[in-house]
């Protein structure tokens, strides 16, 4: 009886839905909000236990991190620490991860991350690695999509404000970095007023090792002292080229909001990196001294190493004739985007309120015809009409970034008019527009920076949130909005909060990643110098005033769990191995008085923290992750005696010394 009633009720409900929805949809009026909201809810609903269809990696911006979400649910799965210390993961706190945050300026505890980009094979995202740039202390990081951990960070010398970064070419040959602030190159003491003509803009091409993903600076172009804002690789027919927007071609050094907006046109710099590669093979460029960090994580040693590199290959544009051109583009463009065919290069003219669309085919012809309009510091400026495919006039206010679908459409964000505009690239016709809440920056279509966008969803990342969520004091979360773009009209499905400020994101189908993610670290492959493979190997060794504890953890105890002989003034190293070999069984460890309050250790991994006891007494440590029914029993004690005491080192588990035969 109950079920019959229920199904009648549902039937009535769905009838109301159809009736109320149909007429208003035709009119496109606002009154159908409730009905549409119901429809949208269905489209983003991922039932308990079900998986999302896509991963989305959203930049953390000023948090220096990278956040992993599911689409279409908008659920947050993980925050991957990259350029910032993260207490949740102990990243930048454990002894093993501290080297990851070393730079030429010393240890930098947090950064400003901007543009994630997934590695590609044959023009499609391949789900091997994701890269992200740091803006403030110029760096690029590579994150493994097996472990979802940062594996490598390379610093970019001679650069300042690493913004047009970290975009990947279509076979992950290179990843680029550019300088947003031109600076003396190399750095030196000089008057700021002498900037013009004397500052330079470093544009850096970093080679990616195809097997391991390791990054190494191949060459650095010493470009004129403009500001380089954003970039994208050519693809398909324009593979081999890279495009960068520039602003401040005025080379102003003060009150930039006025002085860097004088020229009617700035440029897109087109760089033929394949040609430069050839020049380099033939000996072009000159090795210059430089100081930059290269930090690499070793998954078997469970440890990062930090090295300082000492030189970089620098190329002056005059050394590579025919490889670099400037394309005049409407005033102070921000985004620089290339469509999936590689034919259209789009400058998003944030001040001009227009989109400049250049044609790659025309550009090549213009180069052949030498259709130049003078030069800038020796770099030929191509004639605007000779390269321009067209202008999309006044599609909105403040165009910032563009992504693409596979059907010839572009989607551009408009910061000032707070909307996403869909337009056909070939026809230069606006097809649809949708309000966003509010002031959108980047947008992301999974695979949107590739030849093969996966064009069901679009995520708009908004800068201003105001009233969209429950207020949380003066600082509110920033907001992303999910659209369904599979139909003619964009449909807003979902708002979800983000961490930090999501400058750009990268997305990929879940199947590309989910079946190959790592579940555990194999104990047999653990080569950490203080790893223990079983409890019998656990021990405590004194070396002068250093005490090294090789400790193990397994459900539900530490070995050893009673330690004596530690003295005030000692430096105690806890090298802790999680002996578990099951998925999702981490243990944590926390020691009262330690500056590193807590470590979470994955199965098979060894991690280290230090403790300098200041007071005599008997001090407990405990497991911080609720690992079993006896989690609360997972604890131990350390006796701390006064400086100069002669209590010998001893360590036991249930009264026995680990590894010694019981009598
Ligand atoms: Cu437009 Cu850093 Cu890509 Cu932010 S940047 S929006
Ligand atoms: Cu181990 Cu809780």
């Amino acid at each position: 009886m109950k079920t019959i009633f229920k199904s009648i009720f549902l039937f009535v409900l769905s009838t109301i839905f159809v009736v109320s929805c149909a007429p208003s949809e035709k009119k496109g009026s606002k009154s159908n909000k409730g009905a549409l909201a119901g429809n949208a809810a269905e489209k983003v609903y991922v039932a308990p236990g079900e998986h999302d269809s896509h991963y989305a990696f959203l930049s953390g911006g000023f948090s220096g991190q990278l956040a992993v979400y599911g689409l279409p649910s908008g659920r947050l799965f993980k925050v991957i620490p990259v350029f910032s210390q993260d207490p949740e993961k102990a990243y930048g706190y454990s002894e093993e991860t501290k080297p990851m945050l070393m730079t030429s300026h010393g240890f930098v505890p947090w950064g400003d991350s901007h543009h994630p980009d997934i590695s590609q094979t044959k023009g499609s995202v391949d789900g091997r690695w994701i890269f992200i740039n740091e803006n403030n202390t110029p760096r690029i990081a590579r994150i493994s999509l097996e472990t979802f951990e940062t594996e490598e960070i390379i610093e970019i010398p001679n650069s300042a404000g690493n913004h047009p970064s970290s975009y990947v070419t279509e076979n992950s040959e290179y990843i680029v970095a550019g300088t947003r602030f031109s600076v003396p190159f190399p750095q030196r003491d000089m008057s700021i007023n002498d900037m013009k003509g004397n500052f330079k803009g470093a544009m850096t091409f970093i080679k990616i090792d195809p097997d391991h993903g390791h990054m190494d600076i191949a060459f650095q172009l010493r470009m004129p002292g403009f500001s380089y804002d954003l970039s994208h690789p050519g693809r398909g027919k324009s593979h081999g080229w890279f495009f960068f927007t520039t602003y401040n071609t005025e080379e102003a050094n003060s009150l930039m909001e006025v002085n860097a907006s004088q020229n009617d046109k700035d440029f897109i710099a087109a760089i033929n990196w394949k040609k430069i590669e050839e020049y380099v093979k033939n000996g072009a460029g000159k090795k210059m001294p430089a100081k930059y960090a290269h930090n690499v994580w070793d998954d078997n040693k469970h440890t990062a190493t930090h090295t300082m590199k000492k030189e970089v290959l620098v190329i002056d544009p005059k050394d590579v004739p025919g490889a670099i051109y400037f394309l005049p583009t409407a005033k102070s463009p921000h985004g620089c985007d290339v469509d999936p065919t590689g034919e259209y290069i789009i400058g998003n003219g944030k001040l001009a309120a227009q989109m400049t669309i250049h044609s790659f085919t025309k550009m090549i012809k213009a180069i052949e015809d030498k259709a130049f309009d003078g030069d800038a510091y020796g770099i030929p400026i191509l004639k605007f009409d000779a390269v321009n495919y067209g202008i999309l006039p006044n599609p909105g206010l403040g165009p910032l970034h563009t992504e693409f679908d596979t059907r010839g459409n572009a989607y551009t964000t408009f910061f000032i008019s707070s909307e996403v505009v869909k337009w056909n690239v070939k026809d230069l016709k606006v097809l649809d527009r949708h309000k966003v809440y509010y002031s959108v920056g980047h947008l992301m279509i999974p695979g949107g920076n590739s030849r093969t966008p996966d064009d069901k969803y679009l995520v708009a990342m908004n800068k201003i949130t105001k009233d969209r969520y429950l207020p949380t004091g003066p600082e509110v979360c920033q907001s992303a909005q999910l659209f369904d773009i599979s139909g003619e009209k964009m449909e807003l499905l979902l708002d979800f909060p983000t961490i930090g400020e999501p400058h750009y994101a990268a997305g990929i189908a879940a199947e590309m990643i989910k079946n190959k993610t790592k579940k555990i670290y194999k104990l047999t492959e653990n080569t950490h110098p203080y790893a223990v493979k079983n409890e019998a190997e656990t021990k405590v060794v004194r070396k002068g005033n250093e005490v090294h504890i090789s400790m193990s953890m397994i459900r539900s105890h530490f070995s050893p769990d009673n330690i004596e002989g530690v003295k005030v003034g000692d430096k105690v190293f806890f090298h802790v191995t999680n002996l578990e070999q099951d998925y999702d069984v981490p243990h944590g460890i926390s020691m009262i008085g330690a500056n590193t309050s807590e470590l979470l250790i994955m199965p098979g991994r060894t991690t280290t923290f230090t403790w300098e006891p200041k007071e005599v007494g008997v001090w407990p440590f405990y497991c911080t992750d609720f690992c079993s029914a006896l989690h609360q029993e997972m604890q131990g004690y350390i006796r701390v005696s006064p400086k100069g005491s002669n209590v010998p080192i001893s360590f036991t588990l249930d009264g026995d010394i680990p590894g010694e035969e019981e009598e």
Side-chain angles (χ1 to χ4, degrees):
M1 189 62 199
K2 245 185 190 167
T3 37
I4 293 171
F5 176 75
K6 218 172 160 188
S7 50
I8 291 172
F9 178 71
L10 278 177
F11 174 71
V12 172
L13 253 190
S14 59
T15 321
I16 293 171
F17 175 75
V18 169
V19 169
S20 65
C21 164
S24 50
E25 241 184 11
K26 257 184 224 149
K27 277 185 256 155
S29 77
K30 272 187 187 162
S31 63
N32 62 357
K33 203 177 165 194
L36 265 189
N39 191 15
E42 230 168 68
K43 288 187 175 178
V44 299
Y45 183 65
V46 177
E50 298 283 304
H51 287 171
D52 283 279
S53 64
H54 289 78
Y55 282 99
F57 299 89
L58 272 65
S59 156
F62 43 71
S63 87
Q65 317 289 43
L66 178 68
V68 188
Y69 293 81
L71 298 181
S73 72
R75 296 181 295 187
L76 173 66
F77 301 141
K78 184 172 192 172
V79 176
I80 302 174
V82 187
F83 298 111
S84 300
Q85 287 180 307
D86 181 350
E88 189 189 36
K89 316 280 189 299
Y91 180 84
Y93 291 101
S94 71
E95 296 305 311
E96 287 82 356
T97 54
K98 279 179 184 169
M100 291 302 283
L101 299 179
M102 289 303 293
T103 73
S104 64
H105 305 272
F107 183 82
V108 175
W110 75 85
D112 179 17
S113 56
H114 277 243
H115 307 123
D117 205 16
I118 296 170
S119 55
Q120 294 188 22
T121 303
K122 292 186 183 138
S124 297
V125 286
D126 60 18
R128 300 177 75 192
W129 307 296
I130 184 163
F131 300 87
I132 190 165
N133 59 317
E134 207 268 289
N135 196 48
N136 182 43
T137 307
R139 281 171 288 169
I140 291 179
R142 180 176 55 81
I143 294 141
S144 157
L145 290 179
E146 268 178 34
T147 60
F148 285 61
E149 289 186 353
T150 305
E151 284 193 328
E152 187 177 6
I153 294 180
I154 193 163
E155 192 178 359
I156 315 295
N158 301 315
S159 181
N162 177 36
H163 199 254
S165 179
S166 51
Y167 299 103
V168 185
T169 57
E170 70 174 33
N171 286 302
S172 306
E173 294 96 336
Y174 288 97
I175 186 160
V176 299
T179 199
R180 186 172 136 215
F181 312 111
S182 59
V183 287
F185 178 163
Q187 274 290 5
R188 63 188 183 280
D189 176 28
M190 63 177 279
S191 165
I192 300 168
N193 276 328
D194 294 337
M195 169 185 182
K196 199 164 185 158
N198 292 314
F199 285 15
K200 295 285 176 221
M203 213 169 258
T204 310
F205 284 73
I206 297 137
K207 192 98 196 127
I208 301 170
D209 175 284
D211 297 322
H212 307 102
H214 286 157
M215 299 183 286
D216 194 13
I217 296 179
F219 54 87
Q220 196 163 49
L221 295 173
R222 208 158 168 262
M223 295 286 284
F226 309 150
S227 287
Y228 298 88
D229 204 5
L230 276 154
S231 63
H232 265 98
R235 56 180 60 98
K237 63 171 79 168
S238 56
H239 179 58
W241 290 77
F242 227 104
F243 304 94
F244 292 77
T245 42
T246 69
Y247 66 104
N248 195 24
T249 52
E250 296 85 351
E251 295 176 78
N253 56 282
S254 186
L255 195 66
M256 302 279 289
E257 57 178 322
V258 176
N259 295 326
S261 309
Q262 297 302 308
N263 294 346
D264 180 45
K265 291 212 164 41
D266 291 287
F267 302 126
I268 285 177
I271 299 187
N272 187 336
W273 56 260
K274 273 213 170 141
K275 192 159 204 163
I276 296 173
E277 244 180 8
E278 283 302 311
Y279 277 117
V280 168
K281 259 187 218 146
N282 294 319
K286 156 162 130 242
K287 290 246 163 92
M288 272 178 63
K291 233 175 78 186
Y292 58 103
H294 186 211
N295 309 328
V296 183
W297 178 258
D298 182 319
D299 234 355
N300 294 322
K301 274 206 180 112
H302 301 281
T303 302
T305 46
H306 155 68
T307 45
M308 288 300 288
K309 296 225 166 184
K310 297 209 171 64
E311 57 176 24
V312 66
L313 182 67
V314 174
I315 293 172
D316 270 318
K318 64 170 169 26
D319 301 334
V320 289
I324 307 173
Y325 298 92
F326 284 134
L327 284 60
T329 299
K331 183 181 267 208
S332 303
H334 185 53
C336 180
D337 298 293
V338 179
D339 87 310
T341 68
E343 169 62 12
Y344 302 103
I345 302 130
I346 295 165
N348 301 260
K350 64 179 193 276
L351 295 183
Q354 71 187 23
M355 314 287 299
T356 308
I357 298 102
H358 293 311
S359 153
F360 180 73
T361 311
K362 284 183 82 172
M363 183 190 93
I364 295 299
K365 174 110 190 347
I367 291 168
E368 282 166 12
D369 296 349
K370 298 203 162 38
F372 302 145
D373 214 351
D375 69 284
Y377 296 103
I379 297 171
I381 301 170
L382 293 163
K383 283 206 167 95
F384 180 80
D385 290 330
V387 296
N388 187 249
Y389 175 75
I391 296 283
L392 186 65
N394 304 316
L397 291 176
L400 290 188
H401 298 284
T402 300
E403 294 259 298
F404 306 89
D405 65 18
T406 49
R407 293 158 276 147
N409 303 313
Y411 300 78
T412 301
T413 54
F414 290 84
F415 178 81
I416 298 169
S417 53
S418 280
E419 57 190 335
V420 174
V421 173
K422 173 182 176 181
W423 53 285
N424 186 279
V425 183
K426 225 175 178 176
D427 306 341
L428 298 175
K429 274 213 184 85
V430 170
L431 302 173
D432 187 25
R433 56 179 69 238
H434 203 297
K435 278 276 164 208
V436 288
Y437 306 92
Y438 307 89
S439 296
V440 58
H442 274 274
L443 75 173
M444 179 275 277
I445 293 171
N449 171 36
S450 79
R451 275 201 248 160
T452 54
D454 182 353
D455 50 7
K456 181 163 172 50
Y457 298 116
L458 179 157
V459 179
M461 286 155 273
N462 306 324
K463 301 292 182 192
I464 294 171
T465 309
K466 300 276 190 202
D467 54 3
R468 299 298 285 183
Y469 302 100
L470 287 175
T472 52
E475 189 189 3
V476 291
C477 62
Q478 298 214 7
S479 182
Q481 293 192 296
L482 180 74
F483 289 85
D484 181 338
I485 55 164
S486 57
E488 250 168 63
K489 297 275 168 200
M490 294 178 273
E491 185 189 355
L492 177 59
L493 301 179
L494 181 72
D495 280 20
F496 61 96
T498 63
I499 59 150
E501 178 179 355
H503 302 271
Y504 205 42
I508 187 168
E511 296 84 69
M512 296 293 293
I513 294 179
K514 72 174 189 184
N515 299 322
K516 58 162 203 188
T517 66
K518 213 175 182 101
K519 301 266 191 309
I520 59 161
Y521 298 97
K522 286 199 184 120
L523 258 188
T524 50
E525 291 170 4
N526 183 332
T527 56
H528 189 292
Y530 286 93
V532 292
K533 302 295 166 80
N534 52 58
E535 283 181 0
E537 290 179 17
T538 62
K539 61 184 180 211
V540 180
V541 176
R542 174 178 284 286
K543 289 181 194 159
N545 72 334
E546 285 188 1
V547 176
H548 289 267
I549 305 173
S550 300
M551 183 181 273
S552 69
M553 44 191 4
I554 197 160
R555 279 163 288 181
S556 298
H557 60 268
F558 295 95
S559 175
D561 66 0
N562 279 202
I563 297 169
E564 301 201 357
V566 170
K567 292 180 272 187
V568 170
D570 282 346
K571 186 168 185 182
V572 182
F573 290 76
F574 285 77
H575 308 284
V576 190
T577 303
N578 181 348
L579 296 179
E580 305 280 357
Q581 292 287 272
D582 282 340
Y583 184 34
D584 201 16
V585 191
H587 294 282
I589 181 165
S590 211
M591 178 74 230
I592 186 170
N595 288 345
T596 298
S597 158
E598 199 246 318
L599 297 184
L600 188 66
I601 304 171
M602 295 305 127
R605 176 165 273 178
T606 304
T607 310
T608 303
F609 72 98
T610 61
W611 174 52
E612 293 175 52
K614 306 273 187 308
E615 303 276 350
V616 299
V618 176
W619 304 101
F621 57 93
Y622 68 98
C623 173
T624 50
D625 185 284
F626 211 107
C627 48
S628 71
L630 292 168
H631 156 76
Q632 290 297 77
E633 282 73 12
M634 194 166 169
Q635 63 165 83
Y637 286 109
I638 298 187
R639 172 182 173 188
V640 177
S641 303
K643 210 177 187 127
S645 113
N646 46 24
V647 176
I649 288 285
S650 72
F651 53 98
T652 55
L653 174 64
D654 199 18
D656 297 322
I657 298 168
E660 290 203 352
E661 294 290 323
E662 273 179 58
E663 312 254 317

